[in-house]
Amino acid sequence: MDQKTIVLGVIGADVHAVGNQILNYAFTDAGFHVVNLGVMVSQEEFIEAAIESAADAIVVSSLYGHGELDCQGLRDKCDEAGLQGILLYVGGNIVVGKQPFAQVEERFKQMGFDRVFGPGTSPEEGIQALKEDLGVA
Amino acid sequence: MRPVLLIDFGSTYTKLTAVDLNTPRVIAHVQTKTTADSDLSIGLNAGLEALQQKAGPLCFEARLACSSAAGGLNMVASGLVPGLTAKAAQLAAFGAGAKVIRAYAYHLTREDAEEIAGIGPDILLLTGGTDGGNREVILHNARQVAGIPGSFPVVVAGNRAAREECAQILSQSAHPVFCADNVMPQMNRLVTEPVQRVIRQVFLERIILAKGLSKAQGLLDGILMPTPSAVQEGLTLLAQGSKKRPGIGELMAVDLGGATTDVYSVADGLPTGANTVLRGLTEPRVKRTVEGDIGMRFGARGVLEAAGMPAFLQLTGLDEETVEKVIQGFLLSPEALPQNEAEEKVDFALAALAIRTALTRHAGTLEEVYTPVGPMYQQTGKDLSGVKRLIVTGGALIYAKRLEEILRLALEQKDPLVLTPKEAAWRCDRGYILSAMGLLNSFDQDCALELLLEAFGKEEKDAAG
């Protein structure tokens, strides 16, 4: 099997590093080539890393509640940069306060994300989704 | 006595340094006009004669040379993303002692190809993609380069999964192809040594020959490297020392020329503040940059544009019209020395502002980011604010009348987010010791280090900043 490459990072001014390390470990362990950008990653950095590494997916984390602002326009910028159709995931505490997840998911899908994960998602769920979407057996 | 001859073929002057390995000491140092137009050996012979007049007859154990004559080593670099492989390619080329005429990112267009044909580089460096990453762009660029007329060598140092195919595409053109390991095998990780080795090899085997510098070869044991590489080797040895003896630690150097300004740093440059996160490409410990638009004569306009007229007015006390006129005069007659008070003042301001601009561009920067846990800083590039030693060289500084003042002003950094040295004790390389010892390093490291420490390692009294 061709190893699939994913770009991973925590978007915006968010410095939550622990979850990022856990995901890095879990995705690598599951057989993905992980380009981990760590914390405080801008949209541009996600895109540039995806271009150079010819990534199959960009997996965005956000823990501090400002994810909705940070993620706006990412899909458009990907399209502009020639990354048409690249898989975009987002997960974590991605909005302010407690809001019904179905609404949150809908808003992020409107923004162009292929999958949206709420708080408390296990890494396995993400791995399973990636394998499905990227056609990994 | 065990004399060794160290030669630096500069664009204007050929500098000869005779060293005795036994004592060790510098026996004598002379300068003659470089004769690159006709035959380098004419100038070299004149220099040898002058040297032996000073020191008596010498029977050299070895003759080692570096060269920046006939324009030095001019390169074009091509990469994928501007801040990633294109930047990596540029840093690698600088580190190999080259001047990067132009750096391209993404797909090379036909216009780009035409421009490169016009530039006619000595070497083109082709990069792009991490290992296993993007292949499409470097392959496209290889095809574009293969279509460029001429026979300049191409060094391929991109995604290893595309290397063979690139080499194959280029082998069908007149461009000789050389391959090296990827300059950025993983995201943000810079690997420059393998590609620099290949560039140096190509320089030795082809460029020296192509520039007609090989006529002097019979008189030497070879031209080993471009002059900036020799300077960089000297600086690295001085900073890091050898296995037997420690160096003086982290340092920076500036070579201020008429057309360009080189800046070197030998320092880790990692973040010093607790709330600072390092962003982007991790830059090399030994880093060289060349500012192609910053210099004392051909580069004077660039200094004015970068530093701004107000800075010139403040440092010179002259009016705008006079500054403009003097700079125009410098551009028209780059060989002339300052003739009057106004020219001297502008010359002084040019030196200080050229160094300040070049240091600012070489050093990293901070960006303040407000986060829910308070302000944080993102650092791009190297934090050189803690570097305490600066070595300066280049004709304009060696003969400068108010060097102390020039350097104090050059180190004044008004922007707290720019990570240039805050205060540094300085030394001036008046005898071109750095390049000479960089050359000697490969022949007798202990002796080279000893002489470097003697020249630059002493108690620093003349602290600036």
Side-chain angles (χ1 to χ4, degrees), chain A residues 5 12-13 15 33 35 37 39-41 45 48-54 64 66, chain B residues 80-81 84-85 128-130 132-134 187 277 279 369-373 376 378:
Chain A
T5 299
V15 293
H33 172 225
V35 175
L37 301 176
V39 299
M40 292 177 82
V41 181
E45 281 176 279
E48 290 182 348
I51 293 174
E52 288 276 10
S53 63
Y64 70 158
H66 302 268
Chain B
L80 178 47
V81 173
L84 297 172
T85 44
T130 53
N134 184 292
M187 194 53 57
V277 184
R279 292 257 60 100
V369 183
Y370 292 96
T371 77
V373 291
M376 295 276 297
Q378 294 192 332

Side-chain angles (χ1 to χ4, degrees), chain B residues 261-306:
Chain B
T261 300
D262 291 23
V263 180
Y264 305 80
S265 61
V266 187
D268 287 327
L270 295 173
T272 45
N275 293 332
T276 308
V277 184
L278 191 60
R279 292 257 60 100
L281 204 60
T282 310
E283 296 190 347
R285 178 176 164 79
V286 181
K287 176 186 172 185
R288 168 176 177 255
T289 48
V290 184
E291 302 310 331
D293 60 336
I294 300 295
M296 293 296 288
R297 291 296 177 264
F298 286 120
R301 173 75 52 197
V303 181
L304 180 60
E305 275 165 20

Side-chain angles (χ1 to χ4, degrees), chain B residues 351-362:
Chain B
L353 295 171
I355 299 174
R356 191 193 288 171
T357 306
L359 284 174
T360 301
R361 291 188 191 168
H362 181 96

Side-chain angles (χ1 to χ4, degrees), chain A residues 3-32:
Chain A
Q3 199 183 24
K4 298 292 181 186
T5 299
I6 61 172
V7 173
L8 179 71
V10 186
I11 199 165
D14 194 341
V15 293
H16 290 90
V18 178
N20 170 260
Q21 290 301 329
I22 293 172
L23 285 181
N24 184 16
Y25 177 82
F27 289 137
T28 306
D29 196 48
F32 293 100

Side-chain angles (χ1 to χ4, degrees), chain B residues 46-382:
Chain B
L48 274 171
E49 216 163 280
L51 195 68
Q52 309 217 21
Q53 257 171 21
K54 260 189 176 178
L58 295 165
C59 180
F60 294 110
E61 194 169 307
R63 298 155 187 249
L64 313 169
C66 58
S67 166
S68 55
L73 174 59
N74 292 318
M75 289 184 60
V76 161
S78 148
L80 178 47
V81 173
L84 297 172
T85 44
K87 171 102 178 282
Q90 219 172 336
L91 283 172
F94 281 148
K99 186 176 162 192
V100 179
I101 307 293
R102 190 113 156 63
Y104 297 88
Y106 303 115
H107 295 85
L108 287 173
T109 63
R110 210 166 56 195
E111 261 173 47
D112 295 337
E114 276 165 21
E115 191 178 56
I116 295 170
I119 292 169
D122 295 322
I123 299 176
L124 184 141
L125 175 57
L126 194 61
T127 72
T130 53
D131 279 350
N134 184 292
R135 278 164 41 87
E136 184 259 329
V137 172
I138 193 172
L139 288 174
H140 166 90
N141 290 347
R143 280 188 287 271
Q144 284 287 24
V145 171
I148 298 175
S151 59
F152 55 80
V154 178
V155 174
V156 179
N159 183 356
R160 62 186 290 273
R163 190 181 304 157
E164 243 168 87
E165 219 173 315
C166 284
Q168 219 208 316
I169 292 166
L170 286 157
S171 68
Q172 279 153 28
S173 72
H175 302 285
V177 197
F178 302 86
C179 292
D181 291 349
N182 195 348
V183 286
M184 198 183 83
Q186 291 158 27
M187 194 53 57
N188 291 336
R189 195 165 79 86
L190 190 68
V191 178
T192 53
E193 261 171 43
V195 69
Q196 285 168 356
R197 261 201 309 276
V198 173
I199 292 171
R200 188 174 295 181
Q201 202 58 39
V202 176
F203 174 80
L204 289 182
E205 286 169 9
R206 313 190 65 97
I207 313 299
I208 299 280
L209 197 72
K211 296 207 168 192
L213 304 180
S214 57
K215 283 183 198 153
Q217 291 279 36
L219 295 167
L220 352 142
D221 299 312
I223 293 177
L224 298 177
M225 54 185 100
T227 305
S229 289
V231 172
Q232 188 170 294
E233 294 240 336
L235 284 168
T236 309
L237 180 64
L238 174 63
Q240 297 179 174
S242 66
K243 278 183 186 139
K244 294 181 207 157
R245 206 168 160 188
I248 62 171
E250 298 192 335
L251 55 82
M252 288 191 75
V254 179
D255 182 349
L256 178 57
T260 61
T261 300
D262 291 23
V263 180
Y264 305 80
S265 61
V266 187
D268 287 327
L270 295 173
T272 45
N275 293 332
T276 308
V277 184
L278 191 60
R279 292 257 60 100
L281 204 60
T282 310
E283 296 190 347
R285 178 176 164 79
V286 181
K287 176 186 172 185
R288 168 176 177 255
T289 48
V290 184
E291 302 310 331
D293 60 336
I294 300 295
M296 293 296 288
R297 291 296 177 264
F298 286 120
R301 173 75 52 197
V303 181
L304 180 60
E305 275 165 20
M309 186 55 95
F312 272 87
L313 299 184
Q314 194 200 341
L315 289 190
T316 56
L318 300 169
D319 59 75
E320 211 170 313
E321 204 183 326
T322 315
V323 170
E324 188 64 46
K325 213 178 86 199
V326 171
I327 286 187
Q328 201 54 40
F330 284 168
L331 290 171
L332 291 174
S333 47
E335 299 285 317
L337 292 168
Q339 301 295 325
N340 53 46
E341 207 189 321
E343 289 188 3
E344 268 177 22
K345 281 180 174 166
V346 174
D347 214 44
F348 170 81
L350 265 176
L353 295 171
I355 299 174
R356 191 193 288 171
T357 306
L359 284 174
T360 301
R361 291 188 191 168
H362 181 96
T365 52
L366 287 180
E367 194 189 336
E368 197 170 7
V369 183
Y370 292 96
T371 77
V373 291
M376 295 276 297
Y377 293 93
Q378 294 192 332
Q379 178 184 328
T380 312
K382 292 169 83 171

